[in-house]
Amino acid sequence: MLKYANPTNFLALAARLIPWLAGAAALALAVGLYLTFFVAPDDYQQGASVKIMYLHVPAAWLGMMCYMVMTSAALGTLVWRHPLADAAQKAAAPLGAAFTLVCLVTGSLWGKPMWGTWWVWDARLTSVLVLFLIYLGLIGLWQTIEEPAQAARAAAILTLVGVVNIPIIKFSVDWWNTLHQSASVFRLGGPAIAPSMLWPLLIMALGFTLLFFTLHLMAIRNEILSRRLRRLSITAAAAEDPEVAGEVFS
Amino acid sequence: MKDYTFYIASAYGFAALVVVAAIAKITLDYRALRRKLARFDNKEQNR
């Protein structure tokens, strides 16, 4: 495992893994979409609008899972100063924001015909919106602080503070009276959803997860190359003008 | 199905747009970085 802490070894591993992960993601999503539209039945109360669930629920899971990946990476940055942890965290934030945005928009499109409104300020919806805002805050932080090591530490601390929102999202439907329904898959006593709907949902979730890991590996690779380019630019500037080098490295 | 077509199509359309945008952004960034790094390598070889 430590072997892949070296960016060059990691780039070689990523180059081997990305095509396989991308292929597996495409296959799982294709099977999931087929099951969603041609096999899974409509809900007896919600009718065909339940098709949105197969998109909304995996996007919500991924929005939260991505934050947990970032939390692990934040620990890696602060505790072990792992050279790839910061790159992994920075690369995950836009993906987490994208999945959370998909969750919010598809939830709104599902809420309108079922609840009669696009949005309510209930605990689940609000806490997911807070998650989205945390992602945007982290992306903004990385863009604002120019010194990479300083930005990494600040982002890691903010990530660790923000992780308190994840259990709030998960248990908001139990702790408060919400319009959003309570958990129906990961709950004590097993899933409360029929297998004919559960399997397409799990396969779509698998497809989304594989897609996330594919894009995350690709984004980490970009981050490593971007840092290599920055280092080369500074070295080139130093070679041409040692005074500039003195300013850059001071 | 027909009553909810707008909502279902909008949800899947939006998700597809976001996924395609993410893939395109990451791929284009990768190509641009490779191009810039190759330019540095060429400069080094010409020295």
Side-chain angles (χ1 to χ4, degrees), chain A residues 48 51 55 109 218 221-222, chain B residues 1 7-8 12 26 30 33:
Chain A
K51 304 282 183 215
L55 202 55
L109 284 161
M218 291 168 76
R221 181 174 66 179
N222 284 1
Chain B
M1 177 90 175
Y7 300 103
I8 297 168
Y12 279 84
I26 292 173
Y30 177 65
L33 284 164

Side-chain angles (χ1 to χ4, degrees), chain A residues 171-223:
Chain A
F171 296 109
S172 56
V173 287
D174 302 321
W175 293 342
W176 292 285
N177 188 17
T178 60
L179 191 55
H180 193 284
Q181 69 170 70
S182 53
S184 49
V185 178
F186 298 113
R187 60 194 276 279
L188 290 172
I193 180 171
S196 57
M197 290 178 164
L198 181 63
W199 281 107
L201 177 62
L202 293 178
I203 291 170
M204 283 295 279
L206 174 70
F208 266 70
T209 308
L210 289 167
L211 176 67
F212 166 73
F213 283 117
T214 309
L215 293 176
H216 192 209
L217 272 184
M218 291 168 76
I220 296 173
R221 181 174 66 179
N222 284 1
E223 190 55 35

Side-chain angles (χ1 to χ4, degrees), chain A residues 52-207:
Chain A
I52 298 174
M53 173 185 75
Y54 302 102
L55 202 55
H56 172 72
V57 174
W61 287 346
L62 259 292
M64 289 191 286
M65 193 196 81
C66 182
Y67 201 87
M68 295 316 294
V69 168
M70 286 175 63
T71 303
S72 312
L75 284 173
T77 300
L78 290 175
V79 181
W80 297 287
R81 295 179 188 269
H82 192 290
L84 287 180
D86 167 44
Q89 196 194 354
K90 190 176 175 186
L95 298 173
F99 282 115
T100 309
L101 181 65
V102 168
C103 166
L104 286 168
V105 172
T106 55
S108 189
L109 284 161
W110 194 9
K112 180 62 181 166
M114 291 302 106
W115 298 340
T117 179
W118 297 102
W119 181 264
V120 281
W121 291 100
D122 91 351
R124 171 58 70 83
L125 276 70
T126 308
S127 53
V128 173
L129 179 64
V130 169
L131 177 66
F132 180 64
L133 295 176
I134 292 173
Y135 277 128
L136 293 188
L138 283 165
I139 294 166
L141 192 67
W142 270 299
Q143 288 180 348
T144 311
I145 303 176
E146 209 173 320
E147 216 288 297
Q150 214 177 357
R153 273 194 302 276
I157 291 166
L158 179 59
T159 303
L160 291 179
V161 172
V163 78
V164 73
N165 190 42
I166 298 298
I168 293 176
I169 293 174
K170 168 72 183 147
F171 296 109
S172 56
V173 287
D174 302 321
W175 293 342
W176 292 285
N177 188 17
T178 60
L179 191 55
H180 193 284
Q181 69 170 70
S182 53
S184 49
V185 178
F186 298 113
R187 60 194 276 279
L188 290 172
I193 180 171
S196 57
M197 290 178 164
L198 181 63
W199 281 107
L201 177 62
L202 293 178
I203 291 170
M204 283 295 279
L206 174 70

